[in-house]
Amino acid sequence: MGVLADRITTLEAGGVKVQLGQVAGKLEAAELADQSGDHELAARLRHEAVELITGNAAQTAQFSQTRQAPSGWRRTAELERQMHRWADEARTMSPTRASLEGVFADGSEANRAMALAMMTGAPSAASYTTAIDAITAPRSAFEQYHGLVVARLLASRNPTADETQRLREVVQVALQSGALGAPNSDRVTLAKRILELTPNE
């Protein structure tokens, strides 16, 4: 799997060395493990790749710890700060769509959030599949919101693409079903913006 940067083996991102060659190797090994039926090994390898991508597993641990704190504006503000840090890292690292889809598929809430954040920092890596999953089967309202953020990014970049039309349908169904929360919620506002960006064919 071609990921991140083919000819670069190390990169300083936010003062942390990221071993890009190792990331690629682990994701390739995870793909092979999945194909051979060893899904537990595949999940572990993807998790290790995630740690290398960030260069610091403490970030995902801190995110998970913050998620366990009582809800409120302080918790949300801290989570958003972490999302911004991951987005900033992605601007430096230029990850590929395949690498971030692999991070999201790892399954933990922190890794899923990291993948969404990095997609906003590296728009060329934004994934329709990941955005739809985060909107239709989110781990939390926070994740669903950031899935919509990625969806808005995709809609603004490719408003008439077939994949964008599918995304539009998903957002419209979620909006009409009440799955995005109260009528005045940030998720509803964001969903309406996505529908405005995409022509109804």
Side-chain angles (χ1 to χ4, degrees):
M1 186 186 300
V3 294
L4 301 181
D6 293 337
R7 298 185 181 182
I8 302 175
T9 57
T10 63
L11 173 72
E12 290 292 330
V16 179
K17 182 174 287 188
V18 180
Q19 301 292 334
L20 301 179
Q22 291 182 36
V23 171
K26 287 184 182 296
L27 290 175
E28 284 184 42
E31 185 71 17
L32 292 173
D34 263 336
Q35 292 173 5
S36 66
D38 193 344
H39 303 301
E40 183 176 345
L41 174 60
R44 187 169 73 249
L45 288 167
R46 287 195 180 97
H47 179 73
E48 291 172 1
V50 167
E51 292 182 353
L52 287 169
I53 287 173
T54 61
N56 186 359
Q59 292 184 30
T60 54
Q62 180 61 45
F63 183 93
S64 298
Q65 183 177 350
T66 303
R67 281 289 298 150
Q68 300 304 313
S71 61
W73 69 267
R74 286 187 178 85
R75 184 181 75 169
T76 300
E78 180 54 39
L79 292 173
E80 289 295 344
R81 276 192 288 272
Q82 182 59 67
M83 297 295 280
H84 285 298
R85 284 192 287 268
W86 280 327
D88 287 342
E89 285 185 14
R91 292 184 185 97
T92 304
M93 295 166 60
S94 300
T96 64
R97 183 179 299 112
S99 68
L100 294 186
E101 285 178 340
V103 171
F104 189 83
D106 179 74
S108 74
E109 188 175 0
N111 291 345
R112 288 164 68 98
M114 176 175 32
L116 293 169
M118 287 191 164
M119 286 177 187
T120 65
S124 63
S127 164
Y128 286 94
T129 301
T130 298
I132 289 172
D133 193 354
I135 293 167
T136 59
R139 300 293 176 83
S140 64
F142 182 85
E143 179 181 298
Q144 188 177 52
Y145 173 82
H146 284 280
L148 289 163
V149 171
V150 174
R152 180 181 60 185
L153 175 63
L154 289 163
S156 64
R157 286 168 61 88
N158 301 292
T160 61
D162 290 342
E163 289 177 303
T164 302
Q165 289 301 308
R166 168 60 182 148
L167 184 61
R168 185 187 201 283
E169 293 170 4
V170 167
V171 171
Q172 191 164 34
V173 168
L175 185 60
Q176 292 174 345
S177 69
L180 303 180
N184 62 344
S185 72
D186 290 343
R187 286 172 289 158
V188 167
T189 301
L190 192 50
K192 290 179 178 178
R193 178 56 182 152
I194 293 167
L195 296 183
E196 291 172 0
L197 288 168
T198 54
N200 188 8
E201 295 183 352

